[in-house]
């Protein structure tokens, strides 16, 4: 098996995982002229991704004027919504966005390595799992690279890139080229648990949760301090709700396991919210409650 990348003329990209972040990655690709094969186990989630795509096409260019305008019918026609991962065979590159549960990632990477032709790279959109650990599951470690899209992907100007120890220069160049086509800058960091963004941000979310839990400060007050005093667009608890509190808790668990430092122990309040099914925007409630139209 060769580890050379071979772009195909149709510029079709694969996206695995149609949840909150995966659906916006799909929309970002479509808005910039790519065809997409979007794979998820859930037909319901694929349906929600269709709605997310229409929303991105309608409102994305208003919020980020540099975005191209694409007719809704053209956008929907550019995406194959499927539960069959075998449909990824004709993709130039695949971005994975599934749960941070190790067993789920492990099984998926073994399956992707079987399905994808030689020369097709995999972008890992992970919160904390080291790239090298996932790359070792495949026969193409030089073509596995971390691409940490932020949510919603189509509104962000930059992406954190995690280069594994075996990620090739060619793979890195290929990803920089894809990001340039999306109007984004790729910021390359090392391969360590949590990387730059999540090793820092998840402590931020966790401490914000502890302030609510231990001192009774309202979430809106905590967030207002950071929005009005520091100029953040969203406060830490709003951001945690957007990411998904289950994902935040899992990431903290990974960081605790990796570093053995008790500062990464998930707050009781956040753990209780997850146990009660209040996962943030995607379930209609987390630290805040959301109208139905804001859930996805």
């Amino acid at each position: 098996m060769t580890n050379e990348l071979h772009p195909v003329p149709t510029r079709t990209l694969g996206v695995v995982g149609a949840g909150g972040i995966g659906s916006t990655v799909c929309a970002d690709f479509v808005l910039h002229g790519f065809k997409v094969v979007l794979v998820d186990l859930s037909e319901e989630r694929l349906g929600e991704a269709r709605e997310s795509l229409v929303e991105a096409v309608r409102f994305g260019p208003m919020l980020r004027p540099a975005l191209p305008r694409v007719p809704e019918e053209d956008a929907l026609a550019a995406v194959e919504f499927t539960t069959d991962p075998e449909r990824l065979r004709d993709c130039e590159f695949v971005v994975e966005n599934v749960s941070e549960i190790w067993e789920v990632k492990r099984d998926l990477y073994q399956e992707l390595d079987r399905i994808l032709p030689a020369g097709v790279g995999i972008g890992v959109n992970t919160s904390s799992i080291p790239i090298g650990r996932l790359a070792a599951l495949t026969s193409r470690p030089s073509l596995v690279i971390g691409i940490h899209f932020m949510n919603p992907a189509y509104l962000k100007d930059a992406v954190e890139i995690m280069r594994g120890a075996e990620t090739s220069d060619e793979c890195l160049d290929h990803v920089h080229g894809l990001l340039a086509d999306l109007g984004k800058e790729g910021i390359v960091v090392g391969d360590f648990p949590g990387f730059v963004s999540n090793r820092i941000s998840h402590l931020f979310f966790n401490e914000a949760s502890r302030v609510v839990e231990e001192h009774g400060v309202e979430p809106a007050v905590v967030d207002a301090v950071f929005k009005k005093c520091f100029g953040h667009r969203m406060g830490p608890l709003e951001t945690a709700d957007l990411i998904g509190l289950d994902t935040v808790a899992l990431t903290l668990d990974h960081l605790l396991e990796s570093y053995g430092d008790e500062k990464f122990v998930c707050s009781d309040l956040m753990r209780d919210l997850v146990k009660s099914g209040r996962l943030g925007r995607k379930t209609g409630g987390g630290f805040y409650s959301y109208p139905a139209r804001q859930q996805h």
Side-chain angles (χ1 to χ4, degrees):
M1 175 179 288
T2 177
N3 275 333
E4 294 181 1
L5 286 164
H6 299 296
V8 295
T10 54
R11 302 304 304 270
T12 299
L13 301 175
V15 176
V16 181
I21 184 63
S23 61
T24 72
V25 170
C26 172
D28 202 10
F29 290 154
V30 170
L31 283 166
H32 290 89
F34 291 94
K35 294 180 180 179
V36 177
V37 177
L38 179 62
V39 179
D40 199 282
L41 295 175
S42 166
E43 290 283 4
E44 180 182 2
R45 188 165 286 176
L46 289 170
E48 293 168 354
R50 286 186 180 90
E51 297 175 8
S52 177
L53 177 58
V54 170
E55 180 178 314
V57 167
R58 288 178 180 173
F59 302 111
M62 298 180 190
L63 299 171
R64 189 180 180 212
L67 283 175
R69 295 184 180 274
V70 179
E72 289 178 25
E73 59 272 20
D74 291 351
L76 290 169
V79 181
E80 179 181 352
F81 299 88
T82 180
T83 58
D84 181 8
E86 298 286 344
R87 302 298 297 165
L88 296 166
R89 288 187 182 277
D90 295 328
C91 293
E92 166 188 328
F93 190 84
V94 173
V95 177
E96 169 272 307
N97 313 272
V98 304
S99 168
E100 289 295 284
I101 298 171
W102 167 249
E103 292 75 14
V104 174
K105 296 271 197 193
R106 179 196 63 203
D107 294 349
L108 174 62
Y109 276 76
Q110 292 172 341
E111 183 176 28
L112 288 177
D113 195 47
R114 175 186 63 80
I115 292 171
L116 298 177
V120 175
I122 304 172
V124 188
N125 193 10
T126 179
S127 296
S128 58
I129 298 175
I131 307 310
R133 187 180 182 193
L134 292 167
L137 299 170
T138 76
S139 60
R140 63 191 80 206
S142 67
L143 300 184
V144 179
I145 187 169
I147 310 177
H148 189 194
F149 287 91
M150 310 297 171
N151 196 0
Y154 55 85
L155 295 184
K156 305 301 181 180
D157 295 324
V159 171
E160 185 180 34
I161 297 175
M162 295 81 76
R163 183 176 188 176
E166 296 193 58
T167 304
S168 68
D169 290 341
E170 184 184 22
C171 183
L172 180 61
D173 290 344
H174 188 74
V175 167
H176 274 304
L178 285 177
L179 294 176
D181 289 338
L182 301 178
K184 295 185 186 340
E185 176 187 359
I187 303 172
V188 181
V189 303
D191 184 19
F192 48 89
F195 323 114
V196 171
S197 61
N198 285 346
R199 180 169 175 177
I200 296 170
S201 66
H202 283 59
L203 282 175
F204 183 43
F205 306 149
N206 206 33
E207 285 303 304
S209 178
R210 291 188 191 282
V211 167
V212 175
E213 175 187 329
E214 296 171 5
H215 302 287
V217 181
E218 289 294 325
V221 172
V222 173
D223 286 338
V225 169
F226 287 91
K227 290 191 291 185
K228 296 181 179 181
C229 297
F230 292 94
H232 292 192
R233 292 184 181 179
M234 297 178 68
L237 301 177
E238 291 173 311
T239 306
D241 269 0
L242 178 63
I243 292 169
L245 301 187
D246 53 338
T247 299
V248 173
L250 278 170
T251 300
L252 287 166
D253 291 343
H254 286 313
L255 292 170
L256 176 63
E257 180 183 359
S258 298
Y259 293 110
D261 192 323
E262 290 189 359
K263 69 185 178 185
F264 294 113
V265 173
C266 182
S267 75
D268 290 340
L269 173 58
M270 191 177 303
R271 189 77 73 188
D272 288 344
L273 287 169
V274 171
K275 288 179 180 178
S276 68
R278 290 181 62 87
L279 308 182
R281 284 182 179 251
K282 60 187 174 184
T283 59
F287 287 103
Y288 297 89
S289 295
Y290 302 93
R293 69 177 183 277
Q294 293 185 13
Q295 290 179 24
H296 307 299

